[in-house]
Amino acid sequence: MATTQPEVPEWETPTSPPKKSIFRKPVALQSFSLSKEEPGEDATTVKRTFSDHLPHGFAACFGRSRKQILLSLLALILLLILILGLGLGLGLSHKSKKAQNLPLPTNRGIFTGDLTFYSPGPGYGSCGYQNTSTESICAVSHLVFDAASTSSNSNNNPLCGKMIRITRYDATIVDRCVGCKATDLDLSLSMFTSLAEESQGRVVGSWAWLD
């Protein structure tokens, strides 16, 4: 005997859930707010602003007026100018004191230093002169020569042609000695042998400016 399934009423037929579709309209997300309502806070409570979330220093900076910021920048610029001026003044003062200690013509003292000799020719010296070893000439220290310089052209140096007296002999400045200290002189061979033996090579002597 065949069994028959009882008919299920149409209203009792289970329905399958709707399938998700990628074309479904997305649900609008709730807008995000920096403020957070505390428990018991009603809708009339004033929300905190963006500056309230910043640290105290930043909030104070945002609160400053444009005029205050400009005044602060101006004060900073003036401070930097003052520091640069002091540094420049100290540098010039140091240079001036250093120049005063050099044996320049403005210093009428008697100086003592090493005396050596060199061969001035052939060619031109720093002053643009052509000289020989038989002349009464000398070269002063590069420290003194450069301190007296007033031009990039060494031929125009005020020391060129000036006279100095070494013990009892006079010599004309015609050159610049790179290896000499401030009070040292490099003499022509003729000038050196007037004061010492050539074999000595280096002796100590005193000298002064004549003009």
Side-chain angles (χ1 to χ4, degrees):
M1 180 177 176
T3 60
T4 59
Q5 295 291 339
E7 294 183 4
V8 180
E10 186 177 351
W11 56 270
E12 288 187 1
T13 304
T15 58
S16 58
K19 295 183 179 180
K20 294 182 178 179
S21 173
I22 60 174
F23 299 104
R24 293 181 61 191
K25 185 177 181 180
V27 180
L29 297 176
Q30 185 178 0
S31 60
F32 177 75
S33 175
L34 289 177
S35 62
K36 181 179 180 182
E37 293 184 3
E38 299 294 336
E41 186 182 26
D42 54 47
T44 61
T45 304
V46 178
K47 305 298 182 181
R48 292 194 298 170
T49 62
F50 178 72
S51 60
D52 294 331
H53 295 271
L54 295 174
H56 178 70
F58 286 99
C61 182
F62 275 105
R64 289 183 180 177
S65 66
R66 182 178 299 178
K67 183 178 180 180
Q68 289 176 322
I69 296 176
L70 290 177
L71 289 176
S72 300
L73 290 175
L74 181 61
L76 179 61
I77 292 173
L78 291 176
L79 180 61
L80 291 175
I81 293 175
L82 179 61
I83 293 174
L84 290 175
L86 288 175
L88 181 60
L90 291 174
L92 292 176
S93 177
H94 178 71
K95 184 177 180 180
S96 177
K97 289 181 179 179
K98 187 176 180 181
Q100 289 177 359
N101 296 329
L102 291 174
L104 293 167
T106 53
N107 191 339
R108 291 296 179 178
I110 298 176
F111 312 103
T112 300
D114 289 348
L115 306 178
T116 54
F117 65 90
Y118 76 110
S119 298
Y124 297 90
S126 295
C127 290
Y129 305 148
Q130 282 186 307
N131 302 103
T132 64
S133 297
T134 59
E135 298 178 72
S136 298
I137 57 173
C138 71
V140 294
S141 169
H142 65 102
L143 300 173
V144 178
F145 194 90
D146 293 346
S149 178
T150 57
S151 170
S152 58
N153 186 355
S154 62
N155 295 347
N156 299 328
N157 194 296
L159 297 184
C160 293
K162 281 191 172 294
M163 302 289 294
I164 60 173
R165 177 161 293 172
I166 310 167
T167 310
R168 58 185 182 275
Y169 297 96
D170 297 344
T172 305
I173 296 175
V174 297
D175 212 342
R176 174 179 181 269
C177 177
V178 178
C180 293
K181 295 180 181 179
T183 56
D184 294 348
L185 296 174
D186 207 12
L187 313 176
S188 63
L189 181 59
S190 174
M191 191 70 192
F192 184 85
T193 53
S194 299
L195 301 167
E197 295 293 331
E198 181 181 350
S199 58
Q200 292 180 270
R202 181 185 296 268
V203 295
V204 176
S206 297
W207 59 276
W209 296 96
L210 290 179
D211 53 5

